[in-house]
């Protein structure tokens, strides 16, 4: 499938560039993710999101991306 091929190429490119893709790639201790979740709430993208976003939602997303 062309979409899968494109995704594979993007994955290779990100690997070659060393682009972090997991929260754990940023060397942020897991026990500090609550601080990151709270700080994220001040981001314009989160404030202007089409659905309500709170600290719990952000924390769950961070956990999924760990």
């Amino acid at each position: 499938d062309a979409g899968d091929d494109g995704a594979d190429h993007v994955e290779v490119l990100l690997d070659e560039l060393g682009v972090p893709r997991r929260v754990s790639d940023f060397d942020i201790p897991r026990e500090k993710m609550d601080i990151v979740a709270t700080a994220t709430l001040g981001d314009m993208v989160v404030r202007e999101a089409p659905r309500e976003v709170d600290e719990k939602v952000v924390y769950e997303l961070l956990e999924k991306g760990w």
Side-chain angles (χ1 to χ4, degrees):
D1 176 71
D4 289 338
D5 290 342
D8 290 341
H9 288 294
V10 170
E11 193 72 24
V12 169
L13 177 62
L14 293 174
D15 285 341
E16 289 174 357
L17 294 173
V19 176
R21 293 185 296 282
R22 311 281 309 160
V23 175
S24 56
D25 293 341
F26 290 94
D27 295 325
I28 297 170
R30 195 175 211 140
E31 58 272 2
K32 292 195 176 192
M33 284 203 319
D34 59 333
I35 296 168
V36 175
T38 300
T40 301
L41 295 176
D43 186 272
M44 183 180 79
V45 173
V46 174
R47 288 192 320 260
E48 301 298 324
R51 70 173 230 199
E52 187 174 331
V53 178
D54 60 17
E55 188 175 331
K56 181 180 181 226
V57 170
V58 174
Y59 187 86
E60 289 171 358
L61 288 171
L62 289 170
E63 275 293 322
K64 286 180 183 180
W66 183 257

